[in-house]
Amino acid sequence: MKKPLLVLSILAGLAYLSGCTETHAETKAPATQMFKQPIDIAQVQSYPVQSWFTYTSRLEAVESVSLRPRVSGVVDSVNFREGQKVSAGDSLFTLDQRPFQTKVAELTAQLASANAVLQQAKNESKRAERLSKSNSIAQEELESRRSVLAQRQADVFATQAKLDAAQLDLTFTQVIAPIDGVVSRAEITTGNTVQAGQSELTHIVSDSHLYAYFDINERTWQNAFATLKGDKQTPVLMQLTAQQSFAHQGVIDFVDNRINEQTGTLRVRAIFDAESHLKPGAFARIRLATSDIKEQVLVPEKSIGTDLKNRFVLVTDENDVLQYRLVTLGERYGTLRAIISGLQVGDKIAVNGPARVGPGMPISPKIVEISTKDQLLVLGNTQHVLPALTMQRGE
């Protein structure tokens, strides 16, 4: 009697446990099916953009002078503070003037003596001319006095030329700045002897503008820049080492008149206003835009995934399920990337890419916008005004 009751009790217990398990599974399954990953979704749009080409360069001063003395002598004084700004005509070095002053005084005296001798020769020549009219002097004597007068005139001219040269050398003892700019350190200081045309005293670079030369290959020139001229109408951007953006704007002011046959490139020059932190010799990257403006779809760089050799984005369908979409990439514009093919205006993409989600995953979309703020898409628009460059005389 007890054995059938025990069997019934065990069967009832198993039935109860089975019912609890089924109930728990039924209540849990809908919860799993209802969960959807929240994802930022943006509707792609097209924007007007220009194609950009980037070149490397080294900044150069518009004017650069290695200052050397025109006369030999001993440095008497250094008249500038190293690294200061100087103007054309400022005296930077003074050489010992006493030997040159002595030479000027000596030649001044010789000139006075030559003039006195010349005056005597003139008087004798005039006397001989009067005597020749009455045949009171031999023709040979007359010609001799004429010759002496010409020699004395030549002596005066020669002495005057030597005096002018000595006076010029005296002025050269003041070594002046030939251009406006910033002076370097003094390579030779007071008390040292310098040689004319050999000893480098210091270096001056102009500080109003800077040049950046770069080379465009012939194919790119013919395809994109055939109409480019050095008329200061074409804007360019510049990025320096350690800078994240192309923050400096300038213009093209020179295009060479021939293509280099050895390299197949054309030399082009941009000019920039010289800001305080721009130094000649600095490495720079120059960006030059084509004149064509075209509409292209732009998406955030982080929304693009890599699948072996393919690039793709995740788009949503009408059921809010992510779908795999191959794309062809174009140029980069800051944090945005142009899409040549694979997307159309109106498609919705996962902004943050395949970092947390994948194809076939149902999502809970959170609509956001693709921002183009602070992204340079077209140069010369209202957000990026070309600065007015103040050219020096003759530029």
Side-chain angles (χ1 to χ4, degrees), residues 307 312-315 321-325 354 356-362:
D307 181 11
F312 69 94
V313 295
L314 297 176
V315 299
V321 177
L322 294 176
Q323 303 293 338
Y324 181 93
R325 182 77 62 82
R356 295 184 301 159
V357 292
M361 179 180 292

Side-chain angles (χ1 to χ4, degrees), residues 25 59 80 104 111 177 201 212-213 226 236 252 257 281 304 321 326 372 382:
L59 296 183
F80 66 93
V104 169
L111 180 61
L201 300 175
Y213 289 90
V236 296
I252 298 296
N257 59 2
I304 303 171
V321 177
L326 286 174
T372 59
T382 56

Side-chain angles (χ1 to χ4, degrees), residues 20-185:
C20 291
T21 302
E22 292 177 358
T23 303
H24 180 69
E26 290 175 359
T27 58
K28 185 177 181 180
T32 302
Q33 294 174 0
M34 291 177 60
F35 176 77
K36 295 183 178 181
Q37 179 74 31
I39 293 295
D40 290 341
I41 298 296
Q43 185 174 359
V44 299
Q45 301 180 25
S46 64
Y47 304 88
V49 296
Q50 288 175 295
S51 296
W52 293 89
F53 292 84
T54 303
Y55 302 94
T56 58
S57 178
R58 289 278 180 183
L59 296 183
E60 298 182 18
V62 174
E63 295 180 292
S64 178
V65 175
S66 179
L67 202 60
R68 302 175 188 272
R70 294 190 176 187
V71 294
S72 301
V74 178
V75 177
D76 194 46
S77 64
V78 178
N79 308 325
F80 66 93
R81 187 178 71 254
E82 295 178 325
Q84 78 176 62
K85 185 173 182 178
V86 297
S87 301
D90 290 348
S91 176
L92 303 183
F93 292 86
T94 300
L95 305 184
D96 187 0
Q97 297 181 336
R98 291 172 297 179
F100 301 93
Q101 292 171 340
T102 300
K103 187 66 174 178
V104 169
E106 177 185 355
L107 290 172
T108 300
Q110 290 181 8
L111 180 61
S113 176
N115 280 321
V117 174
L118 173 62
Q119 186 61 44
Q120 181 182 359
K122 286 180 178 180
N123 294 336
E124 292 179 355
S125 179
K126 289 179 179 179
R127 189 179 308 112
E129 293 290 345
R130 289 196 302 269
L131 293 174
S132 67
K133 293 178 180 180
S134 58
N135 294 323
S136 301
I137 189 174
Q139 185 66 27
E140 182 179 355
E141 181 65 20
L142 175 62
E143 292 177 355
S144 174
R145 293 187 181 185
R146 287 175 178 173
S147 176
V148 169
L149 175 60
Q151 292 176 16
R152 298 297 176 260
Q153 287 177 332
D155 290 342
V156 170
F157 292 151
T159 306
Q160 181 65 58
K162 293 178 180 179
L163 177 60
D164 291 342
Q167 290 174 333
L168 190 59
D169 287 344
L170 179 59
T171 63
F172 288 157
T173 59
Q174 293 289 342
V175 183
I176 64 173
I179 62 173
D180 297 339
V182 177
V183 64
S184 182
R185 68 185 184 92

